[in-house]
Amino acid sequence: DAKTTQPPSMDCAEGRAANLPCNHSTISGNEYVYWYRQIHSQGPQYIIHGLKNNETNEMASLIITEDRKSSTLILPHATLRDTAVYYCIVRVAGTGGGADGLTFGKGTHLIIQP
Amino acid sequence: KAGVTQTPRYLIKTRGQQVTLSCSPISGHRSVSWYQQTPGQGLQFLFEYFSETQRNKGNFPGRFSGRQFSNSRSEMNVSTLELGDSALYLCASRGWGSRTDTQYFGPGTRLTVL
């Protein structure tokens, strides 16, 4: 699976949009971009995933650049409960992450400020 | 639909003992993966089971083992516990196939080895 790079931490004001970037410059054509988040000491929560088109669900939007080398997760109206570590993962669909499972990096610690 | 459940949620053991953790996947999911999370190493893949067979395995010693039952429920066992085995153990389930294989995580079992 391709490697991802994320900023270690970000702050965002409550009620504003939180934009979390992820760089995946070595992504392959058949690899999807997945986002998870983990609130302290809980299990990771699936947020959204996409291949090349922008995606939106009830939690967030995912914007993938045309060359697929980077993406941005957008939380449109951040609340205090969105404070968590956000992980960007790229993997081939159908493999569950492949022989090594999902590869979690260090993620971005997003802190929502009141 | 009920999510992934893990039991017990918290466990305290002493060095040398063994422990068994249980995971019930989302209904209809036939794949179960296990991960270990520690502050120093982050989230690391242990193994994955599908249809009662281990399909993938991470880089952990043989003291870590698992199994899956015909109803897709899974257990993992750690024998001869060491202090370094103190961690959050996470289970994730998924469907099988390129469009249904997003992994969903349970709340985890917090194991403390004294």
Side-chain angles (χ1 to χ4, degrees):
Chain A
D1 292 339
K3 186 176 177 179
T4 62
T5 304
Q6 300 177 252
S9 65
M10 294 181 63
D11 287 348
C12 179
E14 188 177 19
R16 304 296 293 268
N19 296 278
L20 292 92
C22 179
N23 182 287
H24 32 80
S25 58
T26 60
I27 192 170
S28 300
N30 61 348
E31 287 182 312
Y32 285 71
V33 180
Y34 281 75
W35 284 84
Y36 286 81
R37 73 180 181 183
Q38 187 174 28
I39 297 169
H40 183 61
S41 291
Q42 297 182 22
Q45 178 187 23
Y46 164 75
I47 301 172
I48 198 168
H49 75 283
L51 183 62
K52 54 184 177 181
N53 298 320
N54 298 338
E55 302 288 344
T56 296
N57 63 20
E58 64 280 2
M59 288 183 67
S61 294
L62 174 60
I63 308 297
I64 302 174
T65 58
E66 193 169 341
D67 63 7
R68 302 188 68 239
K69 293 185 176 182
S70 65
S71 61
T72 301
L73 178 74
I74 301 172
L75 307 178
H77 305 288
T79 70
L80 297 179
R81 287 177 294 181
D82 292 321
T83 292
V85 177
Y86 288 76
Y87 297 99
C88 168
I89 298 167
V90 295
R91 69 172 184 88
V92 178
T95 64
D100 298 324
L102 291 178
T103 301
F104 287 82
K106 296 189 184 301
T108 295
H109 187 194
L110 175 66
I111 300 171
I112 306 301
Q113 306 280 3
Chain B
K1 199 181 230 187
V4 178
T5 58
Q6 293 186 245
T7 56
R9 294 293 311 279
Y10 301 92
L11 207 48
I12 300 175
K13 293 286 188 179
T14 56
R15 279 182 299 174
Q17 287 187 309
Q18 75 165 13
V19 67
T20 299
L21 312 181
S22 180
C23 172
S24 293
I26 291 171
S27 177
H29 284 187
R30 296 171 62 192
S31 163
V32 173
S33 296
W34 289 89
Y35 293 80
Q36 180 197 66
Q37 186 173 28
T38 60
Q41 299 298 320
L43 269 152
Q44 293 185 290
F45 171 72
L46 279 156
F47 30 66
E48 178 181 30
Y49 284 85
F50 174 75
S51 290
E52 303 176 63
T53 301
Q54 189 179 90
R55 299 300 176 118
N56 296 305
K57 187 177 190 301
N59 187 26
F60 277 83
R63 299 186 298 108
F64 293 82
S65 63
R67 60 177 176 169
Q68 186 179 34
F69 302 95
S70 58
N71 62 358
S72 295
R73 190 176 69 84
S74 176
E75 290 180 347
M76 70 161 282
N77 183 277
V78 187
S79 62
T80 319
L81 284 166
E82 301 176 359
L83 295 179
D85 297 332
S86 294
L88 180 66
Y89 289 88
L90 294 156
C91 160
S93 77
R94 65 183 177 107
W96 196 264
S98 62
R99 299 189 66 82
T100 60
D101 70 345
T102 297
Q103 289 199 21
Y104 296 90
F105 286 81
T109 294
R110 171 73 61 185
L111 172 65
T112 301
V113 182
L114 302 176

